[in-house]
Amino acid sequence: MKTYQGHIVDVVRHEIFDGELVVEDGRITQIKSCELPKDGKQWPYLMPGFIDSHVHIESSMMAPCEFARVAASHGTIGVVADPHEIGNVLGIEGVNYMIQSGRLSPFNYCFAAPSCVPACGGGIETSGAVIDAAGVEELMARNDIGVLGEMMNFPGVLGNDPEVMRKIRAARAHDKPVDGHAPGLVGNERLRYALTGISTDHECSTLEEGHACVSAGMMVIIREGSAARDFDKLSPLIAESPNMVMFCTDDCHPDDLVRGHINQLVKRAISEGYDFWNILMAACINAQRHYRLRWGLLQEGDAANFIVVDALHPHFRVLKTVIKGIEVYDCNTTFGSLLPSIRNEGINGTYDYPNKFVASPLTVDDIHTELKVSETVHIMSATDGSLYTGHEKVKITGNPFEDSRYPWAEVQKIVVLNRYELNARPVVGMVRGFRLTHGAIACSVAHDCHNIVAIGSSDEYLVKAINRIIEMKGGQVAISDDEMADLALPIAGLMSPLSGYEVAYRSLQLREMAHKAGCKMKSPFITMAFLCLPVIPELKITDKYLWDSKNMKVIEDSTAL
């Protein structure tokens, strides 16, 4: 038995009172009001912990148990996790790995069944696995799966595609929610999308889209991740529709995660003057109600999942995080965590991590391109902090890779290589926005099929970076002149077995090396990874084609680049 005293934040009755709570066998057995000793001590606040309502843990490049260790230090007591990324690499085997790894730490997970593996089908890109409707039905029948993951194929939903609708019916048959993914959808199409049973969307990037979701009865998950940041545009919904809003990070890079998680959104909302109870609705309550979770709201009989903070102002600190009755985080311990780390051990104490990686090394000749004057080329335009890309059609008046007299001379090559087949032919395109002048970056995290993607200022740099990824069987690489930084990701080519803080440190080194090579983006690797996602407008690149994702069609002759 353990007793906690302080100012108790009751989110059910909307009141704060002085008292103490008793924890026994992982539950809160008693809460009582009492006068706190007036001994000059600054008494803390006890409140429900935060929940990330939609996250791909793989984007942290940490195994789930290590992700939990870091997230708990920021007051997160649970996540709704969609293992979509590893699903594209390993299928149901990958989903099982995430669940098994999660069990190594005292943390709350609601795992989703990935609904779109692959996102667009084998005719557009190559994935390592397929989870079809039969696979989804198998997953939805399991007790360790709580939701159908984001339904990215919204054209299939609107077109009543049989395979898509079968997946949705499987979720509804087991009375489990269905997450959405429909950027830009408003009006009657948004209503039709919602009427199929899809009840959330984290892809809203404008207040108009947010209002459309609420009007259609859908929960809006306000996203503030490492690449996509929508809090500023959508935060008015916290006041307008507090019962219809949740918070998420979606994709959170390791160096961002070690600095903060959902607590950052709570702090921003408090600083902007939103009602405190409405903020906690979005951060603590709505996810539990929507996903039918029983993680606790700091009431008698609830699971002992809560946090202890020093204040309720925008600069509050998390002092302790208690999950399942265990103090998993204490701000006074080394690295601020009591959770065990897997370090260099696999799930069964071995180094045999699940992966699928057989790509063959490249030569400079493999990515050589011939561009002729007067030829029209298609260029992706990337923006830091956004998943959307522009689509520019430019008539060549010189060599864009060499002739700096032209205003678009910052264009670089982008290369995507299929990692699931030997001797695959790379696809080469053109991108602007990264401004790499003397180096390259490469990664095996490339949404959603996670083939190898690289951007560089020369063919030599590109080949060197890509071949290092192949040598490591997955990872990240940054090259500047004669220097190289790298991070091996042997778990499905997506995650590292190292501690979260080590992964964050190496990620920072990689970003600094990319900066030395000329790229000033805050999140160059995540921005690059989303250049391969063919379901987000406007122009993307896969291991097979340059893809017009606005009109969902192949750019003709794109493989000739």
PDB file of all heavy atoms in Angstrom, residues 313-344:
ATOM      1  N   HIS A 313       0.271  25.671 -14.045  1.00  0.00           N
ATOM      2  CA  HIS A 313       0.533  26.763 -14.988  1.00  0.00           C
ATOM      3  C   HIS A 313       1.262  26.205 -16.218  1.00  0.00           C
ATOM      4  O   HIS A 313       1.631  25.013 -16.251  1.00  0.00           O
ATOM      5  CB  HIS A 313       1.319  27.886 -14.321  1.00  0.00           C
ATOM      6  CG  HIS A 313       2.603  27.454 -13.678  1.00  0.00           C
ATOM      7  ND1 HIS A 313       3.610  26.793 -14.349  1.00  0.00           N
ATOM      8  CD2 HIS A 313       3.048  27.590 -12.396  1.00  0.00           C
ATOM      9  CE1 HIS A 313       4.620  26.556 -13.552  1.00  0.00           C
ATOM     10  NE2 HIS A 313       4.304  27.015 -12.346  1.00  0.00           N
ATOM     11  N   PRO A 314       1.502  27.042 -17.256  1.00  0.00           N
ATOM     12  CA  PRO A 314       2.095  26.520 -18.505  1.00  0.00           C
ATOM     13  C   PRO A 314       3.498  25.939 -18.366  1.00  0.00           C
ATOM     14  O   PRO A 314       3.985  25.294 -19.299  1.00  0.00           O
ATOM     15  CB  PRO A 314       2.108  27.761 -19.419  1.00  0.00           C
ATOM     16  CG  PRO A 314       1.050  28.647 -18.881  1.00  0.00           C
ATOM     17  CD  PRO A 314       1.069  28.447 -17.406  1.00  0.00           C
ATOM     18  N   HIS A 315       4.146  26.161 -17.237  1.00  0.00           N
ATOM     19  CA  HIS A 315       5.512  25.659 -17.071  1.00  0.00           C
ATOM     20  C   HIS A 315       5.579  24.534 -16.046  1.00  0.00           C
ATOM     21  O   HIS A 315       6.616  24.318 -15.416  1.00  0.00           O
ATOM     22  CB  HIS A 315       6.430  26.806 -16.648  1.00  0.00           C
ATOM     23  CG  HIS A 315       6.395  27.984 -17.575  1.00  0.00           C
ATOM     24  ND1 HIS A 315       6.900  27.920 -18.852  1.00  0.00           N
ATOM     25  CD2 HIS A 315       5.874  29.232 -17.429  1.00  0.00           C
ATOM     26  CE1 HIS A 315       6.709  29.091 -19.453  1.00  0.00           C
ATOM     27  NE2 HIS A 315       6.081  29.894 -18.620  1.00  0.00           N
ATOM     28  N   PHE A 316       4.465  23.804 -15.903  1.00  0.00           N
ATOM     29  CA  PHE A 316       4.456  22.730 -14.918  1.00  0.00           C
ATOM     30  C   PHE A 316       5.479  21.645 -15.259  1.00  0.00           C
ATOM     31  O   PHE A 316       5.848  21.447 -16.423  1.00  0.00           O
ATOM     32  CB  PHE A 316       3.050  22.115 -14.788  1.00  0.00           C
ATOM     33  CG  PHE A 316       2.601  21.282 -15.965  1.00  0.00           C
ATOM     34  CD1 PHE A 316       2.989  19.957 -16.108  1.00  0.00           C
ATOM     35  CD2 PHE A 316       1.762  21.824 -16.943  1.00  0.00           C
ATOM     36  CE1 PHE A 316       2.568  19.189 -17.185  1.00  0.00           C
ATOM     37  CE2 PHE A 316       1.333  21.057 -18.022  1.00  0.00           C
ATOM     38  CZ  PHE A 316       1.739  19.736 -18.139  1.00  0.00           C
ATOM     39  N   ARG A 317       5.935  20.952 -14.221  1.00  0.00           N
ATOM     40  CA  ARG A 317       6.850  19.826 -14.377  1.00  0.00           C
ATOM     41  C   ARG A 317       6.179  18.558 -13.885  1.00  0.00           C
ATOM     42  O   ARG A 317       5.472  18.571 -12.881  1.00  0.00           O
ATOM     43  CB  ARG A 317       8.137  20.042 -13.576  1.00  0.00           C
ATOM     44  CG  ARG A 317       9.060  21.104 -14.113  1.00  0.00           C
ATOM     45  CD  ARG A 317      10.408  21.085 -13.396  1.00  0.00           C
ATOM     46  NE  ARG A 317      10.261  21.125 -11.945  1.00  0.00           N
ATOM     47  CZ  ARG A 317      10.769  20.218 -11.112  1.00  0.00           C
ATOM     48  NH1 ARG A 317      11.427  19.158 -11.597  1.00  0.00           N
ATOM     49  NH2 ARG A 317      10.626  20.332  -9.804  1.00  0.00           N
ATOM     50  N   VAL A 318       6.430  17.473 -14.582  1.00  0.00           N
ATOM     51  CA  VAL A 318       5.964  16.172 -14.122  1.00  0.00           C
ATOM     52  C   VAL A 318       6.976  15.665 -13.101  1.00  0.00           C
ATOM     53  O   VAL A 318       8.156  15.495 -13.413  1.00  0.00           O
ATOM     54  CB  VAL A 318       5.827  15.172 -15.287  1.00  0.00           C
ATOM     55  CG1 VAL A 318       5.430  13.797 -14.765  1.00  0.00           C
ATOM     56  CG2 VAL A 318       4.805  15.674 -16.303  1.00  0.00           C
ATOM     57  N   LEU A 319       6.500  15.429 -11.878  1.00  0.00           N
ATOM     58  CA  LEU A 319       7.373  14.964 -10.811  1.00  0.00           C
ATOM     59  C   LEU A 319       7.403  13.437 -10.738  1.00  0.00           C
ATOM     60  O   LEU A 319       8.460  12.847 -10.513  1.00  0.00           O
ATOM     61  CB  LEU A 319       6.906  15.529  -9.467  1.00  0.00           C
ATOM     62  CG  LEU A 319       6.781  17.055  -9.382  1.00  0.00           C
ATOM     63  CD1 LEU A 319       6.254  17.469  -8.015  1.00  0.00           C
ATOM     64  CD2 LEU A 319       8.121  17.730  -9.665  1.00  0.00           C
ATOM     65  N   LYS A 320       6.230  12.832 -10.919  1.00  0.00           N
ATOM     66  CA  LYS A 320       6.131  11.377 -10.897  1.00  0.00           C
ATOM     67  C   LYS A 320       5.066  10.919 -11.878  1.00  0.00           C
ATOM     68  O   LYS A 320       4.084  11.632 -12.107  1.00  0.00           O
ATOM     69  CB  LYS A 320       5.772  10.870  -9.499  1.00  0.00           C
ATOM     70  CG  LYS A 320       6.845  11.055  -8.447  1.00  0.00           C
ATOM     71  CD  LYS A 320       6.417  10.437  -7.116  1.00  0.00           C
ATOM     72  CE  LYS A 320       7.519  10.608  -6.069  1.00  0.00           C
ATOM     73  NZ  LYS A 320       7.157   9.967  -4.781  1.00  0.00           N
ATOM     74  N   THR A 321       5.264   9.735 -12.420  1.00  0.00           N
ATOM     75  CA  THR A 321       4.246   9.064 -13.223  1.00  0.00           C
ATOM     76  C   THR A 321       4.019   7.681 -12.616  1.00  0.00           C
ATOM     77  O   THR A 321       4.975   6.911 -12.437  1.00  0.00           O
ATOM     78  CB  THR A 321       4.668   8.923 -14.695  1.00  0.00           C
ATOM     79  OG1 THR A 321       4.923  10.222 -15.244  1.00  0.00           O
ATOM     80  CG2 THR A 321       3.580   8.241 -15.509  1.00  0.00           C
ATOM     81  N   VAL A 322       2.763   7.407 -12.296  1.00  0.00           N
ATOM     82  CA  VAL A 322       2.389   6.126 -11.705  1.00  0.00           C
ATOM     83  C   VAL A 322       1.525   5.371 -12.705  1.00  0.00           C
ATOM     84  O   VAL A 322       0.505   5.891 -13.173  1.00  0.00           O
ATOM     85  CB  VAL A 322       1.616   6.326 -10.381  1.00  0.00           C
ATOM     86  CG1 VAL A 322       1.214   4.973  -9.786  1.00  0.00           C
ATOM     87  CG2 VAL A 322       2.454   7.118  -9.388  1.00  0.00           C
ATOM     88  N   ILE A 323       1.950   4.165 -13.073  1.00  0.00           N
ATOM     89  CA  ILE A 323       1.206   3.338 -14.018  1.00  0.00           C
ATOM     90  C   ILE A 323       1.019   1.952 -13.421  1.00  0.00           C
ATOM     91  O   ILE A 323       1.983   1.305 -13.004  1.00  0.00           O
ATOM     92  CB  ILE A 323       1.921   3.244 -15.378  1.00  0.00           C
ATOM     93  CG1 ILE A 323       2.113   4.641 -15.990  1.00  0.00           C
ATOM     94  CG2 ILE A 323       1.130   2.364 -16.338  1.00  0.00           C
ATOM     95  CD1 ILE A 323       2.849   4.644 -17.313  1.00  0.00           C
ATOM     96  N   LYS A 324      -0.237   1.559 -13.359  1.00  0.00           N
ATOM     97  CA  LYS A 324      -0.588   0.256 -12.781  1.00  0.00           C
ATOM     98  C   LYS A 324      -0.049   0.124 -11.356  1.00  0.00           C
ATOM     99  O   LYS A 324       0.368  -0.950 -10.920  1.00  0.00           O
ATOM    100  CB  LYS A 324      -0.081  -0.877 -13.678  1.00  0.00           C
ATOM    101  CG  LYS A 324      -0.638  -0.802 -15.098  1.00  0.00           C
ATOM    102  CD  LYS A 324      -0.097  -1.885 -16.006  1.00  0.00           C
ATOM    103  CE  LYS A 324      -0.628  -1.715 -17.423  1.00  0.00           C
ATOM    104  NZ  LYS A 324      -0.097  -2.724 -18.368  1.00  0.00           N
ATOM    105  N   GLY A 325      -0.056   1.249 -10.638  1.00  0.00           N
ATOM    106  CA  GLY A 325       0.391   1.274  -9.258  1.00  0.00           C
ATOM    107  C   GLY A 325       1.889   1.351  -9.071  1.00  0.00           C
ATOM    108  O   GLY A 325       2.377   1.406  -7.944  1.00  0.00           O
ATOM    109  N   ILE A 326       2.645   1.370 -10.167  1.00  0.00           N
ATOM    110  CA  ILE A 326       4.112   1.388 -10.104  1.00  0.00           C
ATOM    111  C   ILE A 326       4.611   2.790 -10.440  1.00  0.00           C
ATOM    112  O   ILE A 326       4.174   3.390 -11.422  1.00  0.00           O
ATOM    113  CB  ILE A 326       4.720   0.376 -11.084  1.00  0.00           C
ATOM    114  CG1 ILE A 326       4.205  -1.036 -10.792  1.00  0.00           C
ATOM    115  CG2 ILE A 326       6.250   0.414 -11.026  1.00  0.00           C
ATOM    116  CD1 ILE A 326       4.569  -2.040 -11.863  1.00  0.00           C
ATOM    117  N   GLU A 327       5.521   3.319  -9.640  1.00  0.00           N
ATOM    118  CA  GLU A 327       6.138   4.603  -9.961  1.00  0.00           C
ATOM    119  C   GLU A 327       7.179   4.382 -11.066  1.00  0.00           C
ATOM    120  O   GLU A 327       8.333   4.060 -10.810  1.00  0.00           O
ATOM    121  CB  GLU A 327       6.785   5.220  -8.730  1.00  0.00           C
ATOM    122  CG  GLU A 327       5.782   5.743  -7.710  1.00  0.00           C
ATOM    123  CD  GLU A 327       6.442   6.506  -6.573  1.00  0.00           C
ATOM    124  OE1 GLU A 327       7.671   6.725  -6.622  1.00  0.00           O
ATOM    125  OE2 GLU A 327       5.718   6.886  -5.637  1.00  0.00           O
ATOM    126  N   VAL A 328       6.743   4.546 -12.297  1.00  0.00           N
ATOM    127  CA  VAL A 328       7.631   4.273 -13.428  1.00  0.00           C
ATOM    128  C   VAL A 328       8.540   5.443 -13.734  1.00  0.00           C
ATOM    129  O   VAL A 328       9.503   5.314 -14.493  1.00  0.00           O
ATOM    130  CB  VAL A 328       6.809   3.907 -14.685  1.00  0.00           C
ATOM    131  CG1 VAL A 328       5.992   2.655 -14.455  1.00  0.00           C
ATOM    132  CG2 VAL A 328       5.921   5.069 -15.119  1.00  0.00           C
ATOM    133  N   TYR A 329       8.211   6.598 -13.172  1.00  0.00           N
ATOM    134  CA  TYR A 329       9.054   7.781 -13.397  1.00  0.00           C
ATOM    135  C   TYR A 329       9.116   8.603 -12.128  1.00  0.00           C
ATOM    136  O   TYR A 329       8.102   8.817 -11.458  1.00  0.00           O
ATOM    137  CB  TYR A 329       8.507   8.632 -14.539  1.00  0.00           C
ATOM    138  CG  TYR A 329       9.159   9.994 -14.628  1.00  0.00           C
ATOM    139  CD1 TYR A 329      10.418  10.137 -15.194  1.00  0.00           C
ATOM    140  CD2 TYR A 329       8.532  11.130 -14.112  1.00  0.00           C
ATOM    141  CE1 TYR A 329      11.038  11.376 -15.258  1.00  0.00           C
ATOM    142  CE2 TYR A 329       9.155  12.373 -14.177  1.00  0.00           C
ATOM    143  CZ  TYR A 329      10.402  12.491 -14.747  1.00  0.00           C
ATOM    144  OH  TYR A 329      11.015  13.712 -14.804  1.00  0.00           O
ATOM    145  N   ASP A 330      10.306   9.043 -11.803  1.00  0.00           N
ATOM    146  CA  ASP A 330      10.526   9.960 -10.689  1.00  0.00           C
ATOM    147  C   ASP A 330      11.578  10.954 -11.150  1.00  0.00           C
ATOM    148  O   ASP A 330      12.656  10.540 -11.604  1.00  0.00           O
ATOM    149  CB  ASP A 330      10.992   9.189  -9.454  1.00  0.00           C
ATOM    150  CG  ASP A 330      11.091  10.070  -8.214  1.00  0.00           C
ATOM    151  OD1 ASP A 330      11.677  11.169  -8.318  1.00  0.00           O
ATOM    152  OD2 ASP A 330      10.604   9.652  -7.148  1.00  0.00           O
ATOM    153  N   CYS A 331      11.271  12.233 -11.057  1.00  0.00           N
ATOM    154  CA  CYS A 331      12.167  13.247 -11.605  1.00  0.00           C
ATOM    155  C   CYS A 331      13.519  13.285 -10.905  1.00  0.00           C
ATOM    156  O   CYS A 331      14.460  13.909 -11.403  1.00  0.00           O
ATOM    157  CB  CYS A 331      11.515  14.629 -11.546  1.00  0.00           C
ATOM    158  SG  CYS A 331      11.246  15.256  -9.868  1.00  0.00           S
ATOM    159  N   ASN A 332      13.641  12.617  -9.786  1.00  0.00           N
ATOM    160  CA  ASN A 332      14.893  12.634  -9.039  1.00  0.00           C
ATOM    161  C   ASN A 332      15.769  11.424  -9.288  1.00  0.00           C
ATOM    162  O   ASN A 332      16.797  11.256  -8.629  1.00  0.00           O
ATOM    163  CB  ASN A 332      14.594  12.743  -7.534  1.00  0.00           C
ATOM    164  CG  ASN A 332      13.957  14.068  -7.183  1.00  0.00           C
ATOM    165  OD1 ASN A 332      14.383  15.114  -7.656  1.00  0.00           O
ATOM    166  ND2 ASN A 332      12.908  14.019  -6.377  1.00  0.00           N
ATOM    167  N   THR A 333      15.388  10.559 -10.231  1.00  0.00           N
ATOM    168  CA  THR A 333      16.209   9.393 -10.536  1.00  0.00           C
ATOM    169  C   THR A 333      16.996   9.619 -11.813  1.00  0.00           C
ATOM    170  O   THR A 333      16.684  10.505 -12.606  1.00  0.00           O
ATOM    171  CB  THR A 333      15.355   8.123 -10.699  1.00  0.00           C
ATOM    172  OG1 THR A 333      14.443   8.311 -11.778  1.00  0.00           O
ATOM    173  CG2 THR A 333      14.586   7.824  -9.425  1.00  0.00           C
ATOM    174  N   THR A 334      18.011   8.814 -12.036  1.00  0.00           N
ATOM    175  CA  THR A 334      18.860   8.952 -13.221  1.00  0.00           C
ATOM    176  C   THR A 334      18.048   8.847 -14.500  1.00  0.00           C
ATOM    177  O   THR A 334      17.268   7.926 -14.683  1.00  0.00           O
ATOM    178  CB  THR A 334      19.947   7.858 -13.228  1.00  0.00           C
ATOM    179  OG1 THR A 334      20.677   7.946 -11.998  1.00  0.00           O
ATOM    180  CG2 THR A 334      20.895   8.049 -14.392  1.00  0.00           C
ATOM    181  N   PHE A 335      18.229   9.802 -15.390  1.00  0.00           N
ATOM    182  CA  PHE A 335      17.502   9.873 -16.649  1.00  0.00           C
ATOM    183  C   PHE A 335      15.992  10.012 -16.430  1.00  0.00           C
ATOM    184  O   PHE A 335      15.217   9.887 -17.351  1.00  0.00           O
ATOM    185  CB  PHE A 335      17.774   8.670 -17.563  1.00  0.00           C
ATOM    186  CG  PHE A 335      19.133   8.684 -18.162  1.00  0.00           C
ATOM    187  CD1 PHE A 335      20.048   7.695 -17.865  1.00  0.00           C
ATOM    188  CD2 PHE A 335      19.522   9.691 -19.019  1.00  0.00           C
ATOM    189  CE1 PHE A 335      21.318   7.708 -18.425  1.00  0.00           C
ATOM    190  CE2 PHE A 335      20.789   9.720 -19.577  1.00  0.00           C
ATOM    191  CZ  PHE A 335      21.683   8.724 -19.285  1.00  0.00           C
ATOM    192  N   GLY A 336      15.583  10.212 -15.179  1.00  0.00           N
ATOM    193  CA  GLY A 336      14.172  10.426 -14.896  1.00  0.00           C
ATOM    194  C   GLY A 336      13.304   9.232 -15.181  1.00  0.00           C
ATOM    195  O   GLY A 336      12.161   9.375 -15.583  1.00  0.00           O
ATOM    196  N   SER A 337      13.804   8.015 -15.036  1.00  0.00           N
ATOM    197  CA  SER A 337      12.948   6.869 -15.317  1.00  0.00           C
ATOM    198  C   SER A 337      13.358   5.654 -14.516  1.00  0.00           C
ATOM    199  O   SER A 337      14.535   5.389 -14.310  1.00  0.00           O
ATOM    200  CB  SER A 337      12.972   6.518 -16.799  1.00  0.00           C
ATOM    201  OG  SER A 337      12.148   5.409 -17.033  1.00  0.00           O
ATOM    202  N   LEU A 338      12.361   4.909 -14.044  1.00  0.00           N
ATOM    203  CA  LEU A 338      12.605   3.646 -13.355  1.00  0.00           C
ATOM    204  C   LEU A 338      12.305   2.453 -14.256  1.00  0.00           C
ATOM    205  O   LEU A 338      12.490   1.310 -13.860  1.00  0.00           O
ATOM    206  CB  LEU A 338      11.725   3.555 -12.098  1.00  0.00           C
ATOM    207  CG  LEU A 338      11.914   4.669 -11.074  1.00  0.00           C
ATOM    208  CD1 LEU A 338      10.932   4.477  -9.925  1.00  0.00           C
ATOM    209  CD2 LEU A 338      13.329   4.694 -10.545  1.00  0.00           C
ATOM    210  N   LEU A 339      11.805   2.739 -15.465  1.00  0.00           N
ATOM    211  CA  LEU A 339      11.434   1.643 -16.354  1.00  0.00           C
ATOM    212  C   LEU A 339      12.675   0.929 -16.884  1.00  0.00           C
ATOM    213  O   LEU A 339      13.685   1.559 -17.183  1.00  0.00           O
ATOM    214  CB  LEU A 339      10.639   2.171 -17.549  1.00  0.00           C
ATOM    215  CG  LEU A 339       9.157   2.421 -17.319  1.00  0.00           C
ATOM    216  CD1 LEU A 339       8.556   3.026 -18.562  1.00  0.00           C
ATOM    217  CD2 LEU A 339       8.446   1.118 -17.001  1.00  0.00           C
ATOM    218  N   PRO A 340      12.606  -0.380 -17.028  1.00  0.00           N
ATOM    219  CA  PRO A 340      13.737  -1.099 -17.610  1.00  0.00           C
ATOM    220  C   PRO A 340      13.857  -0.793 -19.098  1.00  0.00           C
ATOM    221  O   PRO A 340      12.894  -0.482 -19.764  1.00  0.00           O
ATOM    222  CB  PRO A 340      13.354  -2.566 -17.397  1.00  0.00           C
ATOM    223  CG  PRO A 340      11.858  -2.567 -17.370  1.00  0.00           C
ATOM    224  CD  PRO A 340      11.471  -1.273 -16.709  1.00  0.00           C
ATOM    225  N   SER A 341      15.063  -0.874 -19.588  1.00  0.00           N
ATOM    226  CA  SER A 341      15.317  -0.696 -21.015  1.00  0.00           C
ATOM    227  C   SER A 341      15.752  -2.017 -21.613  1.00  0.00           C
ATOM    228  O   SER A 341      16.455  -2.798 -20.976  1.00  0.00           O
ATOM    229  CB  SER A 341      16.409   0.344 -21.237  1.00  0.00           C
ATOM    230  OG  SER A 341      16.868   0.319 -22.569  1.00  0.00           O
ATOM    231  N   ILE A 342      15.350  -2.263 -22.854  1.00  0.00           N
ATOM    232  CA  ILE A 342      15.790  -3.504 -23.499  1.00  0.00           C
ATOM    233  C   ILE A 342      17.249  -3.409 -23.944  1.00  0.00           C
ATOM    234  O   ILE A 342      17.885  -4.409 -24.205  1.00  0.00           O
ATOM    235  CB  ILE A 342      14.913  -3.869 -24.706  1.00  0.00           C
ATOM    236  CG1 ILE A 342      14.936  -2.753 -25.760  1.00  0.00           C
ATOM    237  CG2 ILE A 342      13.529  -4.227 -24.292  1.00  0.00           C
ATOM    238  CD1 ILE A 342      14.319  -3.185 -27.068  1.00  0.00           C
ATOM    239  N   ARG A 343      17.767  -2.161 -24.011  1.00  0.00           N
ATOM    240  CA  ARG A 343      19.146  -1.983 -24.435  1.00  0.00           C
ATOM    241  C   ARG A 343      19.442  -2.821 -25.670  1.00  0.00           C
ATOM    242  O   ARG A 343      18.814  -2.669 -26.685  1.00  0.00           O
ATOM    243  CB  ARG A 343      20.106  -2.324 -23.290  1.00  0.00           C
ATOM    244  CG  ARG A 343      19.873  -1.486 -22.039  1.00  0.00           C
ATOM    245  CD  ARG A 343      20.220  -0.026 -22.268  1.00  0.00           C
ATOM    246  NE  ARG A 343      19.892   0.764 -21.099  1.00  0.00           N
ATOM    247  CZ  ARG A 343      20.134   2.043 -20.990  1.00  0.00           C
ATOM    248  NH1 ARG A 343      20.706   2.685 -21.983  1.00  0.00           N
ATOM    249  NH2 ARG A 343      19.798   2.714 -19.906  1.00  0.00           N
ATOM    250  N   ASN A 344      20.385  -3.735 -25.543  1.00  0.00           N
ATOM    251  CA  ASN A 344      20.776  -4.525 -26.714  1.00  0.00           C
ATOM    252  C   ASN A 344      20.190  -5.923 -26.705  1.00  0.00           C
ATOM    253  O   ASN A 344      20.752  -6.846 -27.283  1.00  0.00           O
ATOM    254  CB  ASN A 344      22.303  -4.596 -26.799  1.00  0.00           C
ATOM    255  CG  ASN A 344      22.904  -3.249 -27.129  1.00  0.00           C
ATOM    256  OD1 ASN A 344      22.399  -2.561 -28.014  1.00  0.00           O
ATOM    257  ND2 ASN A 344      23.952  -2.872 -26.430  1.00  0.00           N
TER     258      ASN A 344
END
